[in-house]
Amino acid sequence: MTSLNEETIRNKLVKCGQEHLLAFYGDLDAHEKSALLEDIDGIDFDLMSRLYARAQHGSHDMQQEGTCDISPLRGVDSTAMPAPQKEKMRALGLKELSEGRMAALTMAGGQGTRLGHTGPKGTYDIGLPSHKSLFEIQSDGLKRISAEAGRPVLWYIMTSHINHSETESFFREHGYFGYGKENIIFFRQEKIPALDRSGRLLLEDKHTVLKSPNGNGGMFSSLKKAGGFDHMKKCGIKYLFVCGIDNCLVKMADPLFLGFKVSGGYRAVAKSFLKRTADEKAGVLCMKNGHPCVIEYTEIPEDLAALKNEDGEWTYGDTNVLNYIFDTDLAEELAGEGLDYHVAVKKLKYLDTDTGKNAEIPDGYKFELFLFDAFSKIDRLGILRIERTEEFSPVKNKTGIDSAESARVMYMNMYGDGSRDCMEEIK
Ligand code: UTP
């Protein structure tokens, strides 16, 4: 039980105009009271007011800033690599895997707002004949590679405070997809309060402040807080493969990618594919002020977006795929780097302190860290360019582009249904 004092917290709230958070304090039991006081005490009010100022000011536009020195960062094209070179690279990666040096980490803490699926995104069924979920698709990929490597690849799954228990139950109910409970580690990512348009904090229920997961860039510090790096050290893990949950074609723990990293002497590598049009809605990899960076399509000046090299290839064409490998000691260093929050305008469901009823605003402020912002702390980032149709089909929307529909077609093209019975249980 906390020893926090109601009056101290109330005074703190009054000072920053947030005393409505205690609107239902009188209705709560002792346990709920202390939970709420503790929740409020943990909020960094200075940070929240800085973030609100930023949200009101709007996002920075690189073209207006005019202070950045942008230069290209080209990927090594794996699709043009001679077969023997590729095989050698893959063998090198597989050897590391067979010695147990790489773990995989799936970032599954997002809320999947665009998809509109209730429940963790990884539980989503994209409509394959087997009806396997995105989690099962990834476990299939890991099973394939573990069978080749002769040992299971340790699998970390980052959840959020919103979907953690549901994710764990889903795995339990599905017998961990035969991957072995002991090979899977779930950990929660950190959270940050959301704000309404007037900068007010909101309640989720009478004794909880409304918070949302702090973005995929929260992975480094959340993993550290959860003791992930200590666990990896104990297990002899040197490299960490990182991906999102929603790319149904992701090559889990890809040995070629690892071989590329090891042979190139990189501390971190990212996958990319070439954009199709100058104005494609995706972030591209480049160097900014001497460090690797991803520029969003909204930020890159038009002339740079359309620029081509002598060979006819886009100068700024390597699209960021959300698939990386980091040295674990680098990932741990990045955990202490303190990234900057981005503002996202999103729907918020909350408990109205005036009416005491559940309510919704369409355009509240959420705050997210982006993993690729950590690139600015890395001197050298290796980029491996892959074939988009073979490795990239994200499930973002219900229908149309990057939807379950498109993912189903692309998955069937690559793997057929990938039915369950061809997979051996991992021992
Ligand atoms: P997106 O940025 O596409 O977000 O996440 P999302 O939650 O899946 O979907 P929308 O934007 O709400 O519609 C890309 C990857 O990063 C993970 C997601 O789970 C997905 O794998 N992610 C995102 C986290 O793990 N935590 C976060 O806080 C945000």
Side-chain angles (χ1 to χ4, degrees):
M1 278 266 172
T2 176
S3 57
L4 286 169
N5 172 290
E6 182 206 338
E7 203 184 324
T8 318
I9 296 287
R10 195 175 287 279
N11 289 340
K12 193 169 166 181
L13 289 177
V14 169
K15 261 195 217 150
C16 35
Q18 303 284 2
E19 65 274 26
H20 58 281
L21 293 182
L22 293 177
F24 305 107
Y25 193 74
D27 303 350
L28 306 178
D29 65 27
H31 184 75
E32 291 168 337
K33 278 182 177 163
S34 62
L36 179 61
L37 295 182
E38 216 169 308
D39 202 9
I40 296 170
D41 191 52
I43 296 171
D44 182 341
F45 286 95
D46 289 340
L47 173 68
M48 294 318 296
S49 70
R50 279 202 307 277
L51 291 179
Y52 179 57
R54 184 178 302 171
Q56 283 186 302
H57 185 254
S59 64
H60 277 280
D61 184 328
M62 206 184 80
Q63 294 179 67
Q64 288 163 13
E65 276 177 22
T67 50
C68 317
D69 174 16
I70 303 293
S71 56
L73 177 59
R74 283 181 87 164
V76 174
D77 193 351
S78 70
T79 65
M81 246 179 223
Q85 186 190 350
K86 219 166 156 173
E87 271 157 33
K88 213 169 142 192
M89 226 176 233
R90 193 175 188 282
L92 181 60
L94 198 58
K95 183 167 180 293
E96 295 287 330
L97 281 164
S98 68
E99 285 165 10
R101 296 211 182 97
M102 185 159 82
L105 187 151
T106 299
M107 297 181 294
Q111 291 183 277
T113 327
R114 285 166 286 175
L115 190 61
H117 168 61
T118 51
K121 203 172 189 179
T123 63
Y124 194 68
D125 166 8
I126 61 167
L128 292 169
S130 62
H131 292 290
K132 59 186 167 188
S133 60
L134 289 168
F135 278 134
E136 185 168 356
I137 288 175
Q138 292 205 343
S139 77
D140 280 356
L142 282 172
K143 281 193 235 173
R144 274 194 291 268
I145 217 64
S146 296
E148 253 196 281
R151 65 190 296 161
V153 175
L154 214 53
W155 189 15
Y156 293 86
I157 299 181
M158 182 169 83
T159 63
S160 74
H161 63 294
I162 300 166
N163 67 20
H164 187 85
S165 334
E166 239 185 298
T167 303
E168 278 194 323
S169 314
F170 189 76
F171 272 78
R172 210 170 28 248
E173 281 154 22
H174 289 83
Y176 299 85
F177 307 109
Y179 196 64
K181 185 180 176 196
E182 65 287 1
N183 299 318
I184 306 176
I185 300 118
F186 301 94
F187 69 99
R188 283 185 186 82
Q189 79 173 97
E190 293 164 305
K191 49 194 175 177
I192 178 160
L195 295 174
D196 74 6
R197 302 293 284 193
S198 60
R200 277 159 55 105
L201 290 151
L202 300 166
L203 285 179
E204 180 182 328
D205 56 38
K206 289 183 176 180
H207 56 89
T208 318
V209 179
L210 183 74
K211 294 182 182 162
S212 53
N214 66 345
N216 57 33
M219 183 273 285
F220 301 106
S221 55
S222 304
L223 185 60
K224 187 164 175 76
K225 201 170 161 194
F229 292 111
D230 294 336
H231 184 248
M232 284 181 211
K233 274 175 214 153
K234 266 191 218 134
C235 301
I237 306 287
K238 297 248 176 299
Y239 318 113
L240 185 61
F241 172 96
V242 177
C243 64
I245 184 56
D246 50 15
N247 175 13
C248 75
L249 292 186
V250 65
K251 284 193 178 163
M252 295 300 286
D254 181 7
L256 177 71
F257 196 24
L258 179 55
F260 170 71
K261 181 196 173 299
V262 173
S263 61
Y266 302 106
R267 293 187 79 198
V269 286
K271 277 191 181 175
S272 73
F273 57 76
L274 266 192
K275 68 183 183 186
R276 288 183 177 137
T277 57
D279 58 353
E280 189 164 326
K281 290 188 169 56
V284 291
L285 290 145
C286 67
M287 296 295 286
K288 180 173 162 185
N289 299 332
H291 293 282
C293 160
V294 173
I295 320 187
E296 292 287 13
Y297 67 96
T298 47
E299 291 177 328
I300 187 163
E302 258 176 54
D303 54 336
L304 289 191
L307 199 64
K308 285 194 170 179
N309 300 327
E310 276 175 7
D311 58 7
E313 198 171 81
W314 303 111
T315 308
Y316 295 92
D318 280 286
T319 302
N320 177 45
V321 176
L322 198 68
N323 190 180
Y324 317 106
I325 301 177
F326 295 94
D327 278 344
T328 46
D329 57 0
L330 172 65
E332 189 169 10
E333 283 166 31
L334 295 173
E337 282 289 351
L339 304 176
D340 233 1
Y341 278 98
H342 295 250
V343 182
V345 175
K346 295 210 174 161
K347 182 162 78 184
L348 299 178
K349 291 184 177 172
Y350 67 104
L351 177 66
D352 191 318
T353 48
D354 292 331
T355 63
K357 292 192 175 136
N358 289 328
E360 194 175 294
I361 37 173
D363 54 359
Y365 294 128
K366 283 189 182 178
F367 303 98
E368 292 189 17
L369 302 170
F370 291 173
L371 189 148
F372 60 64
D373 281 343
F375 293 171
S376 65
K377 325 279 181 192
I378 302 172
D379 292 331
R380 212 168 140 247
L381 178 74
I383 313 289
L384 185 68
R385 193 183 292 164
I386 46 125
E387 178 54 55
R388 174 188 195 136
T389 51
E390 290 178 7
E391 296 194 38
F392 186 69
S393 184
V395 184
K396 300 282 183 198
N397 308 304
K398 266 233 138 63
T399 52
I401 296 171
D402 295 343
S403 66
E405 237 163 53
S406 56
R408 183 166 60 244
V409 172
M410 289 181 74
Y411 187 88
M412 293 289 282
N413 284 345
M414 273 305 290
Y415 297 104
D417 181 26
S419 62
R420 295 189 178 111
D421 49 16
C422 66
M423 303 294 169
E424 267 194 56
E425 297 265 314
I426 298 292
K427 297 283 179 278

